[in-house]
Amino acid sequence: MAPTHDSYTTGAEQQSNEIRRRNVPEQGSNGTIKYTASDVDEKKSPRQSGGVLSFLDEFEFVLAPIVFTFLAFFTRMWKIGLSNIVTWDEAHFGKFGSQYIKREFYFDVHPPLGKMLVGLSGYLAGYNGSFEFKSGEVYPEELNYTFMRIFNAAFGALLVPLAYFTAKELNLRRNTVWLVTLAVLFENSYTTISRFILLDSMLLFFTFTTIFCWSKFHTYRHDPFSPEWGGWLLLTGVSIGCVCSVKWVGLFCTALVGIYTVEDLWAKFGDYKMPKVEYGAHIGFRVFGLIVIPMLVYMFSFWLHFLVLEKTGSGDAQMSSLFQANLKGTEVGKDSPLEIAYGSRATLKNMGYGGGLLHSHVQLYPEGSKQQQVTCYHHKDANNDWFFYTNRNEPDFNAEDPIRYVGDKHTIRLLHVQTGRNLHSHQVSAPVTKADHEVSSYGNITVGDSKDHWIVEVVDDAASRDYSKLRTLTTAFRLKHADLGCYLRAGNVNLPQWGFKQIETTCVKKNSPRDKYTHWNVESHVNEKLPAGDPGSYKSPFLKDFVHLNVAMMTSNNALVPDPDKQDDLASAPWQWPLLNVGLRMCGWDDNIVKYFLLGNPIVYWGSTFSLAFFGFLATFYLIRWQRGYNDLTAREFDHLHYAGFYPVIGWILHYGPFIAMARVTYVHHYYPALYFAILTAGFCVDWVTARLRKNVQWAIYGVLYLAIFGLFFLFKDICFGMVGSHAQWGYIKWLDTWRMTDHYAFNGLSSLFSKASSVVQTTVKSVAESMPESVVETVTETVAEGAAEL
């Protein structure tokens, strides 16, 4: 059939024989929504003849967001300072915030934006950065932890209006918009996680802003290159950059927008009426707005990170030696002689991204040669020190002899200072990377062989073209084994627990001069015979530091795997999250501690999980019907199903699926971004199913859902606002044995719940008893008591 002038996200065509039309709004010429007469009742109906209801209906688009936002700030901030101890991961992120206030460099597996915001909250609270944020420790009086929590809670509160406006942009009906908003407002896990000094409220906030900006951009898809279209495209890019700058989970949001963009451009590619120049402009705008802008925002957060953290700190060893040498107060390169000589005591830094310091300790390999382990280690330690020594074919080193410098093509030995053993390799497979040779510490000054010999190969020098001398910090060199011809390498492979999870160091057989993990430099250097130099005068470029830190973060993140030798009571499996099978204790569980239990609203979790399965059934049903030749959906209805239903499901899959495949340790809060997409899916499913029902039936269904969401939130409110006293009193909300808010069994909890309910009923009956005959009162009371006992 001939194509019409209307275009749709899916590329679907408008059908002439539209059957079973739904109340779906039409699009205006500029992408704005045009409502039919049947929609008016739901969106912005004609005003009735005066009255309060008419006023509320007319100004719902203003009043509803205000009311919802007020309730959001109340639920996120009420009694927020009740617990005065460091709770759960406040021990990590509070400490990282302190580093920004003290301006001391640190290392963490997450990007810096969220932690900088934590630091900003501490700065605004007048905090000086001196508190250590040890888990369970009482906050000092001079630290306004309540303000810092309120700062974080504001991000959690703003999720609610964002959910409201996003649901409207998805063209859901008003009562569904309220349903989605209430699901976010009265979601217990969102409430609890927002009330502490954590990154999750910021991660959720920027996830919500990304989806909102993307939905606004989609609204203007029929008015390309307009200011509104371009503005929302750029804001989507900025939001993507922000969410990725808080946690890398934001990449899943990026993938969702990327899928939408590819599909949109593919549909435009099939529009033979579109000029090639215009199509090229579409590609160019999206590349700039959705790739360049997010990357610039992400890089800018690291630029600020490096700018603020100008002093040496606990995370220096993760960075290059040149970077460390330019931190204030550092010992790296300080007073170190510039040239390396035989007899010099030095530390060797691997120049690969995330590389550590060459290290050895007295522990032996449990298999292979069973000689002393050699690893790479990211922290300052005396076991990182090595002596540059002459090889066994030359006279023994004598401190009284004239100074001899180490240079390119020299054959040397490296002696471990603490144990006196030689850096050694042999034809024994490495413990993890079996294709490489094992590297160990073996023998001593006098005991050993030629397998202790290493040939220096200079790769580059930032200070000079003269390779005849190794220089501190500036010279990059490789160490080639004299007998085996392999190269000393420290990649991103972690040893098992017997190697303390340190980086495996091997001798790689393949000669790859560009392999950064075979490059080394001298980081610190001590030699009393040589004058002190100033190697810190050379700067490390930002882009190099940026890439180096991101690879180090990735390496450390991959190392966060479950430890089989330890039991983590807080960890959970991904399959448990959508089923609300497990919660999380956020602090100690003593009676004198205010306790918080991270658990979701049952109806929100179970309802949203059911909706995902239901949407799969719905999509399959229409697909089969379409294949059989039935035209159940108009093009507009199909577009609504695709955009408002399919994309939230894809968003859930992108945010949930990767955790199933990840080897790293996982916790319940990793599900929270995915939960939002499940809520949006639930809203769409309810909206779709109820659209043809009578209005009074619709409102009855929605009324029950509203009350259920609020009622369960209120029932579980204490796990959000603080459980004071013995945990045994909350047995009535322990519906599952895996909900560990108390150690009582779930049956006891349900019995307590029914007991309370029967008590309320009996009290109500007695209050009415005065106006009833005694025989009736006795009969009703006995019946209620017997029923409660049976329950």
Side-chain angles (χ1 to χ4, degrees):
M1 62 186 296
T4 63
H5 295 290
D6 292 331
S7 61
Y8 299 91
T9 308
T10 60
E13 296 177 350
Q14 179 74 27
Q15 300 183 26
S16 57
N17 57 338
E18 296 182 348
I19 15 182
R20 295 173 63 183
R21 284 186 62 92
R22 303 171 57 81
N23 295 330
V24 179
E26 297 181 359
Q27 295 285 343
S29 59
N30 65 345
T32 57
I33 303 300
K34 296 171 69 176
Y35 298 104
T36 62
S38 58
D39 297 319
V40 175
D41 164 277
E42 299 296 325
K43 299 275 186 172
K44 206 173 178 183
S45 57
R47 306 305 148 232
Q48 302 170 7
S49 56
V52 176
L53 292 179
S54 175
F55 174 82
L56 294 177
D57 182 64
E58 180 177 1
F59 292 98
E60 181 275 343
F61 71 99
V62 175
L63 298 176
I66 292 175
V67 173
F68 286 134
T69 304
F70 171 79
L71 291 174
F73 275 89
F74 175 78
T75 56
R76 270 55 174 179
M77 296 182 182
W78 187 58
K79 297 171 64 175
I80 197 169
L82 179 62
S83 175
N84 65 342
I85 64 171
V86 179
T87 302
W88 196 38
D89 277 353
E90 286 186 332
H92 297 298
F93 302 116
K95 180 171 61 179
F96 294 145
S98 299
Q99 302 297 90
Y100 287 103
I101 294 173
K102 295 187 293 184
R103 308 193 70 173
E104 294 177 355
F105 193 82
Y106 72 93
F107 174 77
D108 181 46
V109 297
H110 300 302
L113 178 59
K115 292 165 292 186
M116 284 194 287
L117 291 172
V118 171
L120 175 62
S121 70
Y123 175 79
L124 295 175
Y127 170 48
N128 61 10
S130 60
F131 185 58
E132 295 185 6
F133 280 90
K134 293 182 179 179
S135 183
E137 190 171 343
V138 177
Y139 282 108
E141 292 184 3
E142 62 272 14
L143 199 166
N144 190 355
Y145 67 92
T146 301
F147 178 87
M148 296 180 69
R149 288 177 177 174
I150 288 175
F151 184 92
N152 267 51
F155 288 94
L158 292 174
L159 303 181
V160 175
L162 283 169
Y164 174 86
F165 289 113
T166 301
K168 293 193 74 170
E169 292 302 321
L170 292 175
N171 287 330
L172 301 178
R173 289 174 292 121
R174 178 187 294 175
N175 42 14
T176 310
V177 171
W178 291 0
L179 178 66
V180 170
T181 308
L182 288 172
V184 173
L185 171 61
F186 294 127
E187 169 47 43
N188 297 75
S189 61
Y190 283 174
T191 300
T192 308
I193 203 74
S194 300
R195 295 165 59 83
F196 297 96
I197 306 170
L198 307 171
L199 300 187
D200 298 272
S201 60
M202 301 170 190
L203 173 67
L204 289 169
F205 172 77
F206 289 118
T207 299
F208 278 48
T209 58
T210 299
I211 301 307
F212 171 66
C213 293
W214 163 65
S215 64
K216 289 291 293 185
F217 171 70
H218 176 79
T219 300
Y220 287 95
R221 66 195 180 280
H222 297 299
D223 191 16
F225 311 114
S226 66
E228 295 84 358
W229 179 89
W232 286 112
L233 174 64
L234 293 179
L235 285 175
T236 303
V238 171
S239 190
I240 288 173
C242 289
V243 71
C244 292
S245 298
V246 175
K247 283 188 178 182
W248 280 346
V249 174
L251 291 172
F252 304 146
C253 251
T254 308
L256 177 65
V257 177
I259 291 172
Y260 169 84
T261 303
V262 169
E263 184 196 14
D264 185 36
L265 290 175
W266 179 252
K268 287 178 170 54
F269 183 71
D271 185 357
Y272 60 89
K273 293 184 178 180
M274 180 175 290
K276 294 180 180 179
V277 174
E278 182 179 346
Y279 185 71
H282 273 288
I283 295 176
F285 269 87
R286 284 162 175 79
V287 168
F288 178 75
L290 301 178
I291 297 178
V292 176
I293 291 296
M295 195 64 199
L296 290 176
V297 171
Y298 184 75
M299 293 176 67
F300 180 69
S301 71
F302 280 88
W303 182 80
L304 284 178
H305 178 71
F306 293 143
L307 180 67
V308 175
L309 303 181
E310 61 178 3
K311 300 178 183 179
T312 183
S314 59
D316 295 6
Q318 291 283 355
M319 299 301 294
S320 69
S321 301
L322 268 181
F323 178 88
Q324 296 179 57
N326 287 280
L327 293 173
K328 294 180 180 179
T330 184
E331 295 295 325
V332 174
K334 181 181 180 182
D335 299 328
S336 292
L338 188 59
E339 292 91 5
I340 311 299
Y342 288 98
S344 290
R345 176 174 175 163
T347 58
L348 275 65
K349 171 82 171 178
N350 185 268
M351 299 184 70
Y353 301 117
L357 296 161
L358 188 64
H359 178 92
S360 186
H361 39 238
V362 296
Q363 284 78 14
L364 308 180
Y365 288 112
E367 55 186 23
S369 70
K370 297 187 178 180
Q371 294 175 2
Q372 185 171 299
Q373 297 176 19
V374 172
T375 67
C376 253
Y377 189 50
H378 287 107
H379 302 281
K380 309 299 186 198
D381 192 296
N383 281 324
N384 301 334
D385 292 349
W386 301 82
F387 281 124
F388 279 85
Y389 234 68
T390 56
N391 65 64
R392 297 189 185 279
N393 299 324
E394 297 179 344
D396 290 340
F397 169 74
N398 189 336
E400 303 302 324
D401 290 345
I403 294 175
R404 291 177 56 206
Y405 292 101
V406 181
D408 190 29
K409 301 298 187 289
H410 285 205
T411 301
I412 65 170
R413 281 189 294 158
L414 288 171
L415 264 68
H416 189 239
V417 172
Q418 294 299 310
T419 61
R421 300 192 182 278
N422 302 284
L423 186 69
H424 181 91
S425 188
H426 39 221
Q427 289 180 312
V428 175
S429 295
V432 179
T433 311
K434 298 297 184 181
D436 296 351
H437 294 309
E438 177 192 88
V439 175
S440 64
S441 289
Y442 172 73
N444 51 43
I445 294 179
T446 58
V447 177
D449 53 31
S450 60
K451 290 185 174 61
D452 303 332
H453 293 170
W454 300 86
I455 301 172
V456 177
E457 294 184 0
V458 175
V459 178
D460 190 23
D461 196 315
S464 174
R465 293 289 182 183
D466 179 12
Y467 293 171
S468 64
K469 298 178 181 178
L470 294 188
R471 294 175 177 81
T472 305
L473 297 177
T474 63
T475 304
F477 60 91
R478 306 168 80 208
L479 291 172
K480 178 181 179 181
H481 196 270
D483 284 5
L484 302 178
C486 55
Y487 288 85
L488 187 69
R489 187 180 192 274
N492 287 327
V493 177
N494 292 86
L495 291 171
Q497 189 60 47
W498 54 256
F500 308 104
K501 301 288 186 178
Q502 294 175 13
I503 301 296
E504 181 190 36
T505 302
T506 65
C507 201
V508 62
K509 300 172 186 176
K510 184 179 180 181
N511 181 12
S512 302
R514 294 186 178 182
D515 182 4
K516 287 284 188 180
Y517 296 101
T518 63
H519 295 188
W520 302 83
N521 68 265
V522 174
E523 183 170 280
S524 61
H525 173 206
V526 177
N527 193 318
E528 296 178 354
K529 289 190 173 184
L530 298 175
D534 185 23
S537 58
Y538 300 97
K539 302 289 185 182
S540 180
F542 166 74
L543 284 178
K544 185 176 180 180
D545 295 334
F546 168 76
V547 174
H548 192 108
L549 181 54
N550 274 269
V551 175
M553 290 159 52
M554 187 182 306
T555 303
S556 297
N557 210 350
N558 292 338
L560 296 175
V561 296
D563 189 344
D565 300 327
K566 296 180 181 179
Q567 180 178 349
D568 189 347
D569 292 332
L570 301 182
S572 56
W575 70 265
Q576 297 176 293
W577 305 339
L579 303 177
L580 197 61
N581 180 257
V582 67
L584 186 147
R585 292 183 176 183
M586 301 183 69
C587 55
W589 229 240
D590 297 339
D591 291 348
N592 60 339
I593 293 177
V594 180
K595 295 166 284 294
Y596 296 89
F597 191 72
L598 203 54
L599 186 75
N601 187 317
I603 192 173
V604 173
Y605 264 75
W606 294 333
S608 62
T609 301
F610 173 78
S611 72
L612 294 165
F614 178 79
F615 183 85
F617 165 78
L618 193 69
T620 303
F621 171 78
Y622 283 120
L623 182 64
I624 293 174
R625 295 272 297 173
W626 173 77
Q627 183 67 18
R628 296 290 295 170
Y630 292 94
N631 294 319
D632 294 323
L633 302 175
T634 67
R636 187 177 292 107
E637 288 174 328
F638 182 81
D639 194 68
H640 182 61
L641 176 74
H642 175 209
Y643 170 62
F646 179 73
Y647 272 102
V649 172
I650 292 298
W652 179 84
I653 294 173
L654 289 172
H655 283 78
Y656 175 65
F659 286 103
I660 299 176
M662 284 182 186
R664 64 155 291 167
V665 62
T666 51
Y667 302 96
V668 292
H669 68 286
H670 289 149
Y671 184 65
Y672 293 166
L675 176 62
Y676 178 52
F677 293 96
I679 290 173
L680 291 176
T681 304
F684 170 82
C685 290
V686 175
D687 187 87
W688 187 271
V689 169
T690 60
R692 291 187 179 88
L693 300 177
R694 296 193 305 273
K695 299 307 176 185
N696 57 342
V697 176
Q698 289 184 24
W699 280 109
I701 294 173
Y702 280 98
V704 170
L705 292 175
Y706 297 160
L707 289 175
I709 291 173
F710 172 74
L712 286 175
F713 171 82
F714 187 80
L715 181 66
F716 287 84
K717 68 182 185 306
D718 291 332
I719 67 174
C720 308
F721 302 134
M723 304 163 66
V724 181
S726 172
H727 58 78
Q729 60 185 302
W730 283 278
Y732 67 94
I733 57 173
K734 185 177 181 179
W735 294 0
L736 302 178
D737 288 342
T738 49
W739 295 0
R740 298 180 57 245
M741 69 277 291
T742 179
D743 294 329
H744 288 204
Y745 291 106
F747 176 76
N748 294 340
L750 291 173
S751 298
S752 176
L753 176 62
F754 288 126
S755 177
K756 289 191 174 186
S758 67
S759 177
V760 171
V761 173
Q762 290 185 63
T763 302
T764 305
V765 170
K766 290 179 180 178
S767 66
V768 183
E770 296 178 358
S771 60
M772 299 176 63
E774 291 185 6
S775 58
V776 176
V777 173
E778 291 177 358
T779 302
V780 173
T781 304
E782 290 174 1
T783 302
V784 171
E786 290 174 0
E790 291 180 4
L791 288 172

